[in-house]
């Protein structure tokens, strides 16, 4: 449910909304699968929060698009954007559905867990030790992706989940990372994190 | 629409079906956005083909799951897998919806194209020249991902699209690649491909 504050009209750039929406939508499905694999209820709650964040972005996108359409031609051209909004909504709802059993304490079937572990790019968790070079150098999300082909999907820091790590946010000691990537890259990160 | 041949009963491993289904579902949404960005009707058709392939996998998954459920407990545990199938179906249908305007020759709005170009990891096309080291060394998908953090989403070779490149399939001269990754990695691939 969106609150009154969420739906206050703001003149946000459609481009900005689209970029943010698409970036979250890409992440949220992976996070949902991670919540299932690691049977992590608090991560499942983060997925639901992101789902709501996407609802908010879509709301503003729709309002701004309607206001941008001045005539029939405009409206026809802008319809492709409403379509992307609608599709993104469906994808993020799907992510919410994936975590439903986890939120309700239902054990995922072992066949499902086995299957998700054998993906081309499996999910993994890594604990960053206080002695790790990752925490000492300024290591951020984009660097790991570029150097090792590994995505950081989420960082668990203290009690808090950071699910949309800013590209320039640095990894700290004691962070728990949820990552996804090829086996070589994941193995390399495990070594660096130790 | 699934044909008679598609729905013939086969005892396929549920694990195998799940892995294949999830790997395609991850790819198909990105391919759909790529088809929009590059206004590529033939790529849009590949998206529709993948959507149908997912329908086929889901069909077999559902049949095999029903046959696996012997009692109430079994059925309750296996329901999480039906849920994943249902969600995957929704995601792949969403991908089909994204390419709808492209299939029907509707020009995507420039705001949409601008937005998609500014993603954290933008899409790009790269032509592999005959002199490129990429075509001479045995360069495959997984290597590029691990070394440069760049995903190859699809290869256009001659008249054919290869949308699920096997990990060990090597890049050839004159291939057109659709890639996605950070700007550094994409730039590096452009240099290697030249």
């Amino acid at each position: 449910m969106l609150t009154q504050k969420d739906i206050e009209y703001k003149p946000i750039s459609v481009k900005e909304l689209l970029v943010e929406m698409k970036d979250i939508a890409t992440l949220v499905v992976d996070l949902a699968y991670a919540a299932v694999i690691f049977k992590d209820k608090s991560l499942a709650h983060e997925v639901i929060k992101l789902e709501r964040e996407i609802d908010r972005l879509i709301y503003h996108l729709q309002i701004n698009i309607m206001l941008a359409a001045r005539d029939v031609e405009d409206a026809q051209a802008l319809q492709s954007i409403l379509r992307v909004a609608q599709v993104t909504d469906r994808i993020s709802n799907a992510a919410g559905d994936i975590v439903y059993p986890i939120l309700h304490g239902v054990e995922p079937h072992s066949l499902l867990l086995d299957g998700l572990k054998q993906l081309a790019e499996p999910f993994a968790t890594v604990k960053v030790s206080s002695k790790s070079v990752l925490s000492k150098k300024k290591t951020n999300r984009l660097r790991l992706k570029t150097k090792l082909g590994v995505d950081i999907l989420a960082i668990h820091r203290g009690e808090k989940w950071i699910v949309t790590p800013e590209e320039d946010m640095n990894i700290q000691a004691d962070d728990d990372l949820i990552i996804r990537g090829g086996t070589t890259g994941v193995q390399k990160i495990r070594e660096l994190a130790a």
Side-chain angles (χ1 to χ4, degrees), chain A:
Chain A
M1 280 290 297
L2 295 175
T3 65
Q4 187 61 37
K5 199 171 152 265
D6 288 335
I7 63 174
E8 253 165 44
Y9 170 67
K10 284 169 219 153
I12 317 174
S13 121
V14 168
K15 201 197 288 178
E16 239 170 88
L17 287 168
L18 271 172
V19 171
E20 207 177 329
M21 214 175 68
K22 171 75 173 72
D23 280 340
I24 298 183
T26 307
L27 181 70
V28 72
V29 176
D30 272 344
L31 281 181
Y33 281 111
V36 170
I37 292 180
F38 304 119
K39 299 177 200 168
D40 191 315
K41 204 167 176 170
S42 71
L43 186 55
H45 277 293
E46 294 298 323
V47 169
I48 302 296
K49 270 197 234 165
L50 282 183
E51 190 188 343
R52 194 175 143 218
E53 173 62 10
I54 290 180
D55 285 346
R56 193 185 66 79
L57 292 170
I58 289 174
Y59 175 86
H60 288 288
L61 188 70
Q62 287 171 333
I63 299 286
N64 283 280
I65 286 290
M66 279 187 281
L67 294 173
R70 303 277 168 179
D71 53 32
V72 176
E73 264 184 30
D74 257 13
Q76 281 173 334
L78 288 164
Q79 196 272 343
S80 58
I81 302 185
L82 289 185
R83 181 178 287 273
V84 166
Q86 168 191 330
V87 160
T88 308
D89 187 42
R90 235 190 290 161
I91 291 177
S92 89
N93 289 348
D97 281 4
I98 294 173
V99 299
Y100 179 93
I102 299 299
L103 285 175
H104 294 82
V106 177
E107 183 76 3
H109 196 277
S110 60
L111 274 174
L112 178 60
L113 298 177
D114 286 357
L116 288 175
K117 278 174 192 155
Q118 293 193 4
L119 295 172
E121 296 187 354
F123 296 88
T125 49
V126 171
K127 176 99 190 164
V128 180
S129 98
S130 56
K131 290 170 194 153
S132 159
V133 285
L134 288 184
S135 68
K136 280 176 189 147
K137 284 195 201 169
K138 292 197 169 181
T139 311
N140 61 43
R141 190 186 182 186
L142 198 63
R143 261 181 86 88
L144 286 184
K145 172 84 184 204
T146 313
K147 294 266 172 201
L148 301 169
V150 171
D151 276 308
I152 300 185
L153 302 175
I155 298 176
H156 203 185
R157 181 173 296 165
E159 299 286 292
K160 226 178 95 190
W161 278 102
I162 306 166
V163 286
T164 47
E166 299 302 316
E167 283 180 8
D168 55 354
M169 172 188 279
N170 295 330
I171 292 169
Q172 297 180 5
D174 296 325
D175 279 353
D176 285 300
L177 313 178
I178 294 195
I179 59 177
R180 193 167 181 214
T183 24
T184 324
V186 169
Q187 186 47 40
K188 187 78 192 148
I189 288 208
R190 281 201 197 291
E191 287 160 22
L192 293 173

